């Protein structure tokens, strides 16, 4: 992927911000409860001030409207630094759901606050432990000029801080997307402990007042495509970070009087992993570009990229832990955090098996 001048400037900006503000130590503090918040607010504020939260928001709403390739450059840094922010849930999923499905009034009310960091959005989609977007039991009912939504969603990302939920619900036998504002009805948020320290919760809507997002039936597909593409890039960034840390360890750790990086068997494993990361990154960039261009096979490319990136992250984290030896499993080293995030991100919006199966079906197998 050859970046244009604007994209390269954005990539450099994101790298500087995350290198300066993001730290695995913050993740440790949040996990231990000493941080006081469930995401990195200092980093999020820096992202807001630099405009990174408005990458997918139109310019007339205060954003940049740079496209998914540019958002992917930020997601790559999120993965490299294990950053805890609402970027995926709000700046990507929320911006696309409202941007594509919202009417003029909804866009006016919500897209600006997304770009300015004032509003956090949560996508409430799944109703079981595994990603099955077509299985929707939540019901929407017409009520006056609006609707009410009743049902329960599981593992909703950034739900505890959300001001608006984007909810999938059945309306007249068809799954549609609705926007539910906090305070617009009964919404019960029950935080759950996540493997990777991300803020997640089970959410119950009890006749909550809702607004229909009037986009066509492809709005949800576009939101999920964007989410999977972002996760693919995040997993690529994560894999690169693990690879870099592992190479550093191999160059420093000595055994039998030699640096273990000089052992041919470990060199072969490192070379294999390097190739896998390059292929995964190329596929992820191609998928992002396909989404931006509206390519007919964009969804298929994204499924392939997510599946490949998930497998590469699994390999990278496993190799990283193994090459660090027994110490790789201790809490003193950061590698274990990358392994946990790799597992969680791979599951979100469909694991490698899910994406592979959907890809095969799309190809007629």
């Amino acid at each position: 992927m050859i970046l244009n001048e604007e994209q390269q400037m954005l990539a450099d900006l994101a790298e500087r911000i995350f290198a300066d503000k993001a730290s695995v130590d913050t993740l440790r503090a949040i996990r231990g409860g000493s941080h006081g918040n469930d995401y990195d607010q200092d980093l999020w504020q820096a992202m807001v001030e630099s405009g990174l939260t408005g990458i997918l928001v139109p310019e007339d709403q205060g954003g940049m409207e740079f496209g998914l390739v540019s958002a992917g450059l930020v997601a790559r840094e999120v993965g490299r630094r294990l950053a805890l922010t609402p970027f995926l849930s709000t700046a990507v999923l929320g911006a696309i759901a409202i941007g594509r499905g919202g009417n003029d009034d909804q866009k006016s009310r919500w897209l600006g606050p997304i770009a300015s960091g004032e509003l956090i959005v949560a996508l409430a989609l799944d109703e079981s432990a595994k990603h099955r977007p077509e299985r929707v039991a939540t019901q929407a009912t017409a009520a006056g000029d609006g609707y009410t939504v009743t049902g329960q969603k599981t593992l909703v990302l950034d739900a505890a801080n959300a001001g608006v939920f984007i909810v999938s619900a059945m309306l007249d036998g068809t799954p549609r997307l609705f926007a539910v504002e906090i305070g617009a009805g009964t919404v019960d948020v029950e935080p759950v402990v996540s493997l990777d320290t991300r803020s997640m919760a089970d959410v119950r809507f009890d006749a909550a007042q809702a607004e229909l997002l009037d986009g066509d039936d492809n709005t949800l597909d576009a939101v999920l495509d964007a989410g999977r593409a972002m996760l693919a890039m995040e997993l690529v960034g994560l894999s690169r970070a693990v690879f870099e840390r592992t190479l550093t360890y191999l160059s420093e750790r000595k055994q039998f009087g030699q640096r273990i990086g000089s052992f041919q068997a470990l060199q072969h494993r490192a070379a294999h992993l390097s190739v896998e990361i390059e292929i995964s990154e190329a596929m992820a960039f191609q998928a992002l570009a396909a989404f931006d261009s509206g390519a007919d096979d964009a969804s298929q490319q994204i499924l392939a990229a997510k599946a490949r990136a998930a497998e590469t992250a699994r390999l990278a984290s496993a190799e990283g832990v193994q090459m660090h030896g027994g110490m790789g499993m201790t809490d003193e080293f950061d590698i274990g955090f990358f392994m946990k995030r790799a597992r969680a991100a791979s599951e979100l919006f469909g694991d490698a098996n899910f994406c592979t199966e959907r890809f095969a079906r799309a190809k007629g197998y």
Side-chain angles (χ1 to χ4, degrees), residues 154-332:
T154 62
L155 303 177
V156 179
L157 188 62
D158 294 316
N161 301 293
V164 173
F165 289 92
I166 306 298
V167 187
S168 62
M170 299 298 291
L171 178 65
D172 299 327
T174 303
R176 302 295 300 273
L177 286 180
F178 295 83
V180 176
E181 288 189 281
I182 289 294
T186 303
V187 180
D188 181 38
V189 178
E190 183 65 32
V192 298
V193 177
S194 62
L195 174 69
D196 56 347
T197 316
R198 262 57 184 180
S199 174
M200 305 190 86
D202 293 336
V203 182
R204 179 165 185 80
F205 302 93
D206 187 6
Q209 296 176 12
E211 299 179 35
L212 177 66
L213 295 179
D214 294 324
D216 57 32
D217 294 338
N218 295 324
T219 301
L220 178 56
D221 292 336
V223 171
L224 288 174
D225 280 346
R228 290 168 185 147
M230 286 298 100
L231 288 166
M233 279 301 290
E234 182 183 338
L235 287 165
V236 166
L238 181 153
S239 299
R240 282 204 178 279
V242 172
F243 182 61
E244 292 163 0
R245 288 166 180 262
T246 301
L247 287 185
T248 298
Y249 184 77
L250 293 179
S251 69
E252 295 173 349
R253 173 69 172 170
K254 288 186 177 181
Q255 194 170 22
F256 308 116
Q258 301 181 57
R259 289 182 173 83
I260 61 176
S262 66
F263 299 159
Q264 192 175 58
L266 296 184
Q267 290 177 355
H268 286 173
R269 290 166 66 178
H272 173 232
L273 178 56
S274 177
V275 171
E276 293 298 309
I277 293 172
E278 291 296 332
I279 294 173
S280 294
E281 185 170 57
M283 291 180 65
F285 268 124
Q286 180 173 298
L288 293 167
F291 182 97
D292 283 342
S293 67
D296 292 338
D297 65 343
S299 293
Q300 297 171 36
Q301 292 193 46
I302 289 169
L303 288 167
K306 172 69 161 43
R308 181 61 185 254
E311 286 299 300
T312 298
R314 179 197 60 78
L315 174 65
S317 57
E319 289 284 64
V321 167
Q322 289 182 23
M323 291 190 198
H324 275 77
M327 290 183 292
M329 292 302 296
T330 66
D331 198 63
E332 179 182 351

Side-chain angles (χ1 to χ4, degrees), residues 11-213:
D12 294 341
L13 173 63
E15 185 175 6
R16 289 197 304 271
I17 289 174
F18 279 80
D20 181 49
K21 295 292 184 179
S23 170
V24 178
D25 290 338
T26 302
L27 186 151
R28 290 178 182 274
I30 292 174
R31 182 196 62 170
S34 61
H35 187 268
N37 297 290
D38 53 9
Y39 68 94
D40 190 340
Q41 291 188 329
D42 290 339
L43 172 60
W44 183 243
Q45 185 59 37
M47 294 173 69
V48 169
E49 293 172 356
S50 62
L52 298 183
T53 54
I55 286 178
L56 297 176
V57 174
E59 291 184 33
D60 61 1
Q61 299 290 348
M64 297 181 180
E65 202 169 5
F66 272 3
L68 213 62
V69 170
S70 296
L73 298 172
V74 179
R76 186 171 61 179
E77 294 302 317
V78 170
R80 287 186 64 193
R81 309 289 177 176
L82 292 184
L84 294 175
T85 74
F87 179 75
L88 175 61
S89 62
T90 301
V92 177
L93 303 176
I96 289 180
I98 296 167
R100 293 206 176 199
N103 57 36
D104 290 342
D105 175 61
Q106 291 164 339
K107 292 176 183 179
S108 177
R109 278 187 286 139
W110 295 325
L111 288 179
I114 286 176
S116 66
E118 300 171 56
L119 175 66
I120 292 177
V121 180
L123 177 65
L125 183 66
D126 285 313
E127 300 182 3
S128 62
K130 297 292 284 186
H131 178 61
R132 296 293 183 268
E134 69 281 356
R135 298 180 184 176
V136 181
T138 300
Q139 295 292 321
T141 305
D145 294 333
Y147 300 85
T148 61
V149 169
T150 298
Q152 184 163 338
K153 301 292 183 177
T154 62
L155 303 177
V156 179
L157 188 62
D158 294 316
N161 301 293
V164 173
F165 289 92
I166 306 298
V167 187
S168 62
M170 299 298 291
L171 178 65
D172 299 327
T174 303
R176 302 295 300 273
L177 286 180
F178 295 83
V180 176
E181 288 189 281
I182 289 294
T186 303
V187 180
D188 181 38
V189 178
E190 183 65 32
V192 298
V193 177
S194 62
L195 174 69
D196 56 347
T197 316
R198 262 57 184 180
S199 174
M200 305 190 86
D202 293 336
V203 182
R204 179 165 185 80
F205 302 93
D206 187 6
Q209 296 176 12
E211 299 179 35
L212 177 66
L213 295 179

